[in-house]
Amino acid sequence: MLRIDKLEIHVNAHPYDNQEDIRHFGRVISFSSGLNLIVGDNTSGKTTIARCLYYVLGMEELIDGKAGKGALDKSVTTKFRYKDDTGSDNEWFVTSSYVCIQLSNDRNEIITIQRDIILTSNRDNVLFVWKESLRDYLQKETCREYYVHRTDDHSAEFGTGFYALLAEFAGLTIVSVPSRSDKDTKLYMQTLFALSFIEQTRGWSDFFATIKSFNIINPRQRIIEYAMDYEFDGNYATAQKLKDKRKGLEHTWGRTVHEFTNYLSYNNLYVEGLDDEASKQKVSIEDLKFAIRDRNISIPKYTELLKKRTDELEAKKNQKQATGNHGYDQLQQEYQENCRKYKDFCIRLSQEREKASIIKNQLEGIEKEIKRYNSLGQVNNIITDLEVKECPTCHQDLPVTDSTQSSFSISSSEIEESKQQLKMQKSFLSPMLENLYTSIKNKEFYMLYLEKNLAVEREKVMDIAALENINLLPLTEIEQFELADLKNKRAAITTVTQHIVTVKNNLASIYKAYKELCDEINKLKVANNRETPFYIQLSRFRSMLYQFGYSSNHTSQIGFKEDEHSSYRYLPVVQAGEGIEEYIRSDSSASDFVRSIWAYYIVLMSIGKHHPGFMVMDEPCQHSMKESSLKALFKVCAELTDKQTILFCSSQPHTEEAKAQKEEVREVVSDSDQDIIKAIVDSLNMAGINFISIDPRAIMPFESVSKE
C-alpha cells in the first residue's frame, strides 16, 4: 500500500524579453492520510498538479493514452503567464523542469522519486530514486536510476524497471492474466493504477474510462478481481464464481461425452447409461456398460474369443521346420546384420540431435544475457551503494559490507565489452549449430535410404523362401490374413480398453467435482450470504450510494454484472424488470452516475485487499452536484484514515444550490464571493481533512512557496 507524502514541481523560466533572467518557479504540496483537498479557482492550475503527480509515478498513459510529457500542461513544458508583485504580467518561457514525489508504505519505508520534464538530455523515460526523504540536497550521484515504458520495465530480474520497484514497494504482486495472444501477459501497473486515478477529461465518462489494456482480455474485470482478491485460480467462492465453475464443468462433461461416444462408435463399440448432460447422469460411472456393436457382446467376452482363436493360429504357425537351404540362410544372416547396423546408425543420429539441442540452449542463454545488458544500458548508474551485492557483468559477489563504503559502478564501455564477448560466443556457436542441423538432415535422408534397402532385402528373403518352397509360416494365406487381423483387433481393443479406463476416471473426476459444486452452492445459498466478498462489496456500494444521495433508482435494484462473458462484469447494473438489466450509466441522471463512480472507486479502495491504497480524483464536483453529496463525499474520505484520498476541486463548483441561488433575481451571488468547498469543510469540523488552497496560481516563484 502506498501513501503520497509530498509533491514538488520545479520550473526554471525566463521572461519573453530577457533570456538571461532565469528564475525558479514551482509548487510544494504536503499530503496526509485521510482526505486531501487541493482547492483553487478554475484557472489556478489544479490539473497541472494532478497531471504532474500522474507523470512522476510513470502513469501519464492514464491521462491521454500516451507515454512521455505530452500529457502535461504547457506551464511546465513550454510557457506560462505570471503577474509579479509589481503588477507586471509577463509570459515566461520554460528552460527546464522536473517533478519530485516522496512515497511511504505500510512497512514505514520511504522513497523519493524524481522525473525530468524538460531537460537537455531528453531522458523522460528515466526516473531517479532515493531511499530517503525528499530534501533539497539530494544529489543524482546517490540515487538509483530506473526506466519506464520500455521492455522489462515490470521485470525484477535486472533491477532497472521502475514498475517492478513500485510494485514491490507498494506490496503489489505482479501477476499474469489472460491476453488476446496465445500466452498470458502481466497485469501492468499502468492498468492496475486505473483503480487510483480519475482524471477530468475522460475519467468521469465511465468506470475506469482511461484504463490501458495492453492486450489484456477484459482489463477492467482483471483489476477488480485483483483488488478484491477475487478468483484467479478457482479458490475463491462467490455465488457467481461457483456457478461459472459448474457451467464450465457441464461444458467439459458434454464435450468429453461427445468425443468419447464418437471414439467408441469409430471402434465399433457403444456404451449404455452415459448421458451427455451432467445434471441428468443417473448411472454411476463404474456401472456403465460397454459392448461390441456388431456382436452385441461385452468387451471381456469379445477379448476372450479373440485370444482363443489367436492362440490356435499361433500354435500352428510355430510348427516350423528347418529349411536346409544354405543360400537362404546366408541371405537371412545378412538381413539381420543390416538391421543391427541400422539400429546403431539411429543411435548415433539421436546423439547428434542431443548435441544440437545442447548448443541451441547455450545460444538461448547467450541471447538472454545480451538482452540483460541491453536492459542495463537503459540507465546510467548501474551499481551504487544502495544494497547492490552482485555484479551484473560477471555475477560475482561485490565486496560491499555496509552502506558507508564507496560506490561500485560499471561503465557503459564495460557493458558493451561484455556484450561483444557474448556476441563472439554466439558467432562461434551459431555456425556450429547450423552445420549440425545440416548433418542431421542429411543423416535423416540416409536413414530413409537404409530403411528402403532393408525393405528390399526382406522382400528378397520372402521371394527365395517362396521359390524354394520353404514353409516359413505353416498357415494358409487366408489363415495368415486372419491372424494379422486378429492381432490388430486385439491391439486395438487393448488400446480402446485403456482409453475407456482413462475416460471413465476423467468423467468420474468431473462428475465428483460437479456434484461437490452443486452441494456447495445449495449449502452456501450465496445470494443471501453476507460474508462473501462479492456481497460485501455490493452492500458497501449500495450503502455509499445512499450516503451520497443517489436517487435515480432504489439501491435494492442495483447489483453487479455477473455474466462471465461480459466486459462489464463486476460493474454496477440496474434491475429494470424481470430479467432485464441496464448499465447504471444509462439508467441514472448525470449527477447520479458521478455519485456511482465515487462510491465504486471508494469501496474498492476501502475494502480491496490488493489496492494501491490511495485515490486521486480530478474535479469530482460534476453536473450540478448537491452540496450535501459533496459533504458526504468529504466525510467518507476523511474517515478512511488508513487510506489516502486526494481531490482536486474548484473552489466554486457549479452545485445545484449555487445554480438555484444564481437564478434568484433578487440575490445574485458571483463566484468570487463564495468558496463553497471551504464552507463545506468548515461545516464538517472534523479531523482527517488536509485543506490546501493553491490560489491564485499553481506555479509560483519558488521562494514564495511555503515548504511544509
Side-chain angles (χ1 to χ4, degrees):
M1 186 178 73
L2 291 178
R3 194 185 92 149
I4 300 171
D5 299 325
K6 184 183 289 188
L7 180 74
E8 288 189 6
I9 303 172
H10 295 263
V11 180
N12 290 315
H14 65 78
Y16 74 98
D17 56 352
N18 186 355
Q19 295 187 15
E20 302 300 323
D21 183 17
I22 297 178
R23 302 185 193 179
H24 191 189
F25 295 82
R27 172 68 65 173
V28 176
I29 299 177
S30 294
F31 299 94
S32 64
S33 297
L35 173 62
N36 298 267
L37 285 166
I38 316 298
V39 182
D41 64 34
N42 290 330
T43 61
S44 60
K46 300 182 300 298
T47 298
T48 298
I49 298 174
R51 292 192 170 200
C52 282
L53 192 154
Y54 292 43
Y55 177 79
V56 74
L57 292 176
M59 302 296 170
E60 70 273 14
E61 288 180 296
L62 292 173
I63 302 173
D64 63 359
K66 299 176 183 177
K69 53 183 173 283
L72 298 178
D73 186 73
K74 65 180 181 179
S75 63
V76 293
T77 58
T78 54
K79 60 185 178 180
F80 59 91
R81 299 196 69 85
Y82 172 67
K83 186 176 182 179
D84 61 24
D85 295 338
T86 66
S88 177
D89 189 1
N90 289 329
E91 194 169 51
W92 292 76
F93 290 83
V94 177
T95 60
S96 64
S97 56
Y98 63 92
V99 58
C100 298
I101 194 169
Q102 177 182 312
L103 304 177
S104 57
N105 60 21
D106 49 8
R107 302 188 297 273
N108 295 319
E109 298 171 334
I110 292 176
I111 59 172
T112 294
I113 305 164
Q114 177 179 320
R115 189 176 181 190
D116 294 332
I117 301 173
I118 301 297
L119 202 66
T120 55
S121 62
N122 195 29
R123 298 175 70 220
D124 60 10
N125 72 306
V126 175
L127 287 83
F128 309 95
V129 179
W130 293 262
K131 291 189 175 180
E132 52 184 305
S133 301
L134 175 55
R135 295 188 290 274
D136 292 339
Y137 55 81
L138 291 176
Q139 301 297 318
K140 291 251 179 107
E141 290 77 10
T142 63
C143 75
R144 180 77 183 271
E145 289 187 13
Y146 296 84
Y147 61 86
V148 291
H149 312 310
R150 296 290 190 277
T151 303
D152 292 321
D153 55 12
H154 281 74
S155 173
E157 181 178 3
F158 306 133
T160 49
F162 175 73
Y163 297 123
L165 168 73
L166 187 65
E168 190 280 330
F169 186 78
L172 300 171
T173 304
I174 296 175
V175 298
S176 295
V177 291
S179 73
R180 293 182 178 87
S181 59
D182 293 336
K183 57 183 180 180
D184 288 352
T185 187
K186 290 183 176 65
L187 183 61
Y188 293 104
M189 288 293 104
Q190 301 98 302
T191 300
L192 181 61
F193 269 65
L195 292 163
S196 292
F197 288 124
I198 311 176
E199 59 88 36
Q200 185 177 2
T201 306
R202 293 179 297 151
W204 300 100
S205 62
D206 198 1
F207 298 95
F208 315 116
T210 63
I211 194 169
K212 289 282 291 182
S213 69
F214 297 104
N215 209 35
I216 297 169
I217 297 175
N218 295 334
R220 295 189 295 185
Q221 172 186 332
R222 301 305 170 197
I223 64 172
I224 296 167
E225 288 175 334
Y226 181 85
M228 292 300 299
D229 200 23
Y230 281 163
E231 177 183 6
F232 274 104
D233 58 0
N235 295 326
Y236 209 84
T238 65
Q240 185 58 37
K241 290 187 175 298
L242 289 174
K243 293 175 184 176
D244 290 344
K245 289 173 70 177
R246 182 176 64 180
K247 188 182 297 183
L249 288 175
E250 289 173 341
H251 176 73
T252 302
W253 172 276
R255 186 188 68 248
T256 304
V257 169
H258 177 72
E259 293 173 353
F260 187 41
T261 52
N262 284 345
Y263 174 84
L264 293 174
S265 179
Y266 177 79
N267 286 279
N268 194 33
L269 281 85
Y270 67 93
V271 58
E272 292 181 353
L274 182 62
D275 201 289
D276 57 2
E277 294 184 32
S279 60
K280 297 180 180 179
Q281 182 64 33
K282 305 301 181 186
V283 178
S284 168
I285 303 300
E286 287 301 318
D287 294 335
L288 295 176
K289 298 185 181 302
F290 299 87
I292 309 301
R293 188 176 296 278
D294 58 0
R295 296 284 192 95
N296 198 26
I297 58 175
S298 67
I299 292 177
K301 181 64 176 177
Y302 179 66
T303 303
E304 182 183 343
L305 293 175
L306 290 177
K307 183 178 183 305
K308 181 179 179 181
R309 180 55 181 162
T310 302
D311 291 344
E312 291 174 357
L313 293 175
E314 286 285 2
K316 183 178 179 181
K317 183 188 75 170
N318 291 331
Q319 295 174 1
K320 295 171 55 176
Q321 299 176 357
T323 63
N325 188 314
H326 178 71
Y328 170 80
D329 292 339
Q330 184 177 0
L331 188 62
Q332 179 75 357
Q333 288 177 356
E334 290 175 357
Y335 173 70
Q336 295 296 331
E337 176 64 17
N338 288 336
C339 286
R340 184 189 64 76
K341 291 179 179 179
Y342 171 76
K343 182 178 180 181
D344 292 341
F345 177 82
C346 291
I347 292 173
R348 291 195 300 273
L349 176 59
S350 176
Q351 291 171 342
E352 201 160 318
R353 285 170 175 162
E354 184 177 356
K355 183 178 179 181
S357 176
I358 292 172
I359 295 176
K360 179 175 178 290
N361 291 335
Q362 289 176 328
L363 282 170
E364 289 175 350
I366 290 172
E367 287 286 356
K368 183 177 180 181
E369 282 298 291
I370 292 174
K371 181 180 178 183
R372 186 169 72 89
Y373 284 116
N374 287 335
S375 179
L376 292 173
Q378 296 273 358
V379 297
N380 286 335
N381 55 319
I382 305 306
I383 297 182
T384 69
D385 56 354
L386 300 177
E387 301 180 4
V388 179
K389 306 297 184 184
E390 183 181 283
C391 173
T393 301
C394 61
H395 299 288
Q396 297 296 315
D397 291 340
L398 292 175
V400 178
T401 57
D402 57 59
S403 60
T404 62
Q405 289 186 306
S406 301
S407 300
F408 290 83
S409 63
I410 296 175
S411 66
S412 298
S413 61
E414 289 174 313
I415 290 178
E416 189 60 32
E417 181 180 351
S418 298
K419 285 169 59 178
Q420 291 304 321
Q421 291 177 356
L422 289 170
K423 288 179 179 178
M424 287 178 61
Q425 294 179 33
K426 180 181 176 181
S427 66
F428 172 74
L429 291 174
S430 294
M432 184 183 296
L433 182 61
E434 289 298 323
N435 291 336
L436 273 173
Y437 281 151
T438 301
S439 174
I440 289 170
K441 189 173 183 180
N442 291 334
K443 283 183 171 61
E444 287 173 343
F445 282 124
Y446 186 62
M447 182 175 68
L448 295 175
Y449 169 77
L450 293 177
E451 290 173 349
K452 183 178 179 181
N453 284 346
L454 285 174
V456 171
E457 289 180 4
R458 184 175 182 280
E459 287 296 325
K460 288 181 179 179
V461 171
M462 300 299 292
D463 289 343
I464 292 176
L467 289 172
E468 297 295 330
N469 292 319
I470 299 173
N471 190 8
L472 300 178
L473 293 171
L475 297 174
T476 66
E477 184 176 353
I478 294 176
E479 288 174 330
Q480 291 176 31
F481 279 114
E482 182 185 1
L483 179 59
D485 183 55
L486 287 168
K487 288 182 176 180
N488 288 335
K489 287 181 178 179
R490 290 186 67 186
I493 203 66
T494 299
T495 302
V496 169
T497 303
Q498 292 171 348
H499 185 70
I500 288 174
V501 172
T502 300
V503 175
K504 283 176 62 177
N505 290 337
N506 187 24
L507 287 172
S509 177
I510 296 171
Y511 191 72
K512 179 182 178 183
Y514 175 78
K515 291 298 292 181
E516 288 175 351
L517 275 176
C518 291
D519 293 342
E520 193 172 352
I521 290 171
N522 291 333
K523 290 177 182 177
L524 288 175
K525 297 180 179 178
V526 187
N528 297 316
N529 189 339
R530 297 179 177 271
E531 299 303 318
T532 62
F534 184 87
Y535 187 86
I536 291 172
Q537 183 190 359
L538 177 58
S539 178
R540 295 280 186 92
F541 178 68
R542 288 171 173 173
S543 174
M544 206 162 286
L545 284 179
Y546 179 79
Q547 286 179 264
F548 293 157
Y550 179 93
S551 60
S552 294
N553 298 280
H554 195 279
T555 55
S556 63
Q557 294 178 268
I558 296 173
F560 292 154
K561 187 73 173 178
E562 299 185 42
D563 183 4
E564 65 173 321
H565 302 295
S566 171
S567 61
Y568 210 75
R569 193 179 192 189
Y570 303 120
L571 292 171
V573 291
V574 178
Q575 302 297 329
E578 185 67 31
I580 301 174
E581 287 183 343
E582 294 286 352
Y583 297 149
I584 196 169
R585 177 175 56 179
S586 61
D587 205 22
S588 302
S589 66
S591 58
D592 268 349
F593 180 62
V594 172
R595 290 181 180 93
S596 71
I597 292 179
W598 292 354
Y600 197 81
Y601 278 74
I602 292 172
V603 167
L604 285 176
M605 180 179 70
S606 62
I607 66 174
K609 292 184 178 180
H610 307 298
H611 189 281
F614 72 95
M615 182 175 58
V616 177
M617 294 184 182
D618 191 10
E619 293 292 3
C621 315
Q622 304 279 329
H623 300 291
S624 300
M625 189 65 64
K626 289 183 179 181
E627 292 180 17
S628 59
S629 296
L630 291 176
K631 186 174 182 178
L633 172 65
F634 296 167
K635 184 174 185 298
V636 167
C637 293
E639 289 173 345
L640 291 173
T641 55
D642 60 331
K643 309 291 181 181
Q644 185 181 51
T645 307
I646 302 172
L647 307 183
F648 291 86
C649 300
S650 171
S651 56
Q652 300 92 27
H654 299 292
T655 62
E656 187 176 307
E657 291 85 348
K659 182 179 179 181
Q661 191 176 25
K662 287 183 180 182
E663 290 174 353
E664 289 286 341
V665 177
R666 291 169 297 179
E667 185 179 0
V668 179
V669 180
S670 67
D671 286 346
S672 59
D673 292 333
Q674 56 182 332
D675 188 334
I676 295 173
I677 301 299
K678 185 66 167 64
I680 293 175
V681 170
D682 291 342
S683 69
L684 285 171
N685 190 28
M686 63 183 296
I689 300 179
N690 179 24
F691 185 91
I692 303 168
S693 174
I694 61 167
D695 285 335
R697 302 283 293 181
I699 303 300
M700 301 282 288
F702 209 79
E703 61 269 17
S704 66
V705 175
S706 174
K707 293 190 177 183
E708 301 178 14

